[in-house]
Amino acid sequence: MNRKYRKTVIAGNWKMNMLASEIKPFMEQLKAELPKTRTCEMVLCTPAVMIPAMIKAGKDCKVAAGGQDVSKYAKGAYTGEISASQLADIGAKYCIVGHSERRQYHGEDDMLINAKVKALIDQGIIPIICVGESLEQREMDLTMEYVAYQVKAALSGVDAAKLRRCVIAYEPIWAIGTGKTATAEQAQEVCQGIRAVIRGIYGARPARAVSILYGGSMNAKNAAELLAQPDIDGGLIGGASLKPADFATIIKATDQE
Ligand code: PGA
């Protein structure tokens, strides 16, 4: 983390878990575990139907609500889709885009992800742009090349002023939901590489200001070490964000020098 230049963000990704009726008890438990003062922005990304309940329950412990996906279209005949303006209208502040599960199970490619990033920015929602390599790519030593491509594609046509409203999440696919976390060194190396890619496109200042999160089996035990890395500005947390005590421990781990 480097709090002098950029904000720390701890975002939970609930994926397709939980019910709206479970949010209130979850938030009560979370609130009881949280320190009074916090040094990070807290976000919980839920299925879109649960965002209003999250906003209501999250108000007094200042948890922002986020979506997990968005349509690239602004409006119209796209049955089943949810637009960025609809997310903004119900109060979503963030939205995950390009998660590897969307890429893998829903055939999302980099062009589509770029369109979604722009749709979110246009509506004032901060995209949490997910990038990350597969195990095969890592073993073939293609990690940085592939991740650099994903970052460039996702940000294509996004100017420096708009970049300030974006968060990047480095999530190696082999670490998601597997219990296999990248080492702090591996995660730092790629997050630093992502910042270098952004520096190459936008210059030093915007690169210094962009928050880059790590995701992939981040948990209450390994969070502090990951967050201590200079280019890791927070976490995108799946499994551990479903447990209030663990999520609170990760939030507390941001409070380090
Ligand atoms: P995980 O998921 O923390 O359960 O590995 C992270 C994610 O998919 O965003």
Side-chain angles (χ1 to χ4, degrees), residues 197-248:
V197 170
I198 293 175
R199 192 179 307 119
I201 309 171
Y202 297 96
R205 247 178 207 232
R208 200 169 64 184
V210 70
S211 296
I212 303 175
L213 318 183
Y214 169 78
S217 300
M218 193 190 252
N219 58 40
K221 287 206 177 81
N222 60 29
E225 194 191 354
L226 287 158
L227 293 167
Q229 304 304 310
D231 286 289
I232 300 180
D233 306 307
L236 181 56
I237 296 121
S241 74
L242 296 166
K243 301 175 200 144
D246 289 10
F247 195 54

Side-chain angles (χ1 to χ4, degrees), residues 1-10 39-40 188 195 212 223-235 250-257:
M1 295 178 292
N2 186 333
R3 270 198 286 272
K4 187 166 164 218
Y5 294 120
R6 42 195 182 257
K7 68 179 175 205
T8 305
V9 181
I10 298 295
T39 46
C40 68
Q188 162 61 21
R195 200 175 304 287
I212 303 175
E225 194 191 354
L226 287 158
L227 293 167
Q229 304 304 310
D231 286 289
I232 300 180
D233 306 307
I250 297 170
I251 288 156
K252 284 181 216 158
T254 63
D255 196 8
Q256 51 180 286
E257 285 311 310

Side-chain angles (χ1 to χ4, degrees), residues 13 15 99 101 171 175-178 215-218 236-239:
N13 174 10
K15 309 192 179 185
H99 191 280
E101 286 152 17
E171 297 208 308
I176 296 176
T178 58
S217 300
M218 193 190 252
L236 181 56
I237 296 121

Side-chain angles (χ1 to χ4, degrees), residues 3-45:
R3 270 198 286 272
K4 187 166 164 218
Y5 294 120
R6 42 195 182 257
K7 68 179 175 205
T8 305
V9 181
I10 298 295
N13 174 10
W14 277 6
K15 309 192 179 185
M16 203 171 70
N17 294 299
M18 304 283 277
L19 298 171
S21 57
E22 293 173 303
I23 292 180
K24 200 165 170 254
F26 177 98
M27 293 308 285
E28 275 163 12
Q29 231 187 306
L30 180 66
K31 197 179 167 192
E33 306 267 357
L34 284 177
K36 288 269 172 307
T37 54
R38 268 176 262 132
T39 46
C40 68
E41 171 105 346
M42 271 170 44
V43 189
L44 280 167
C45 297

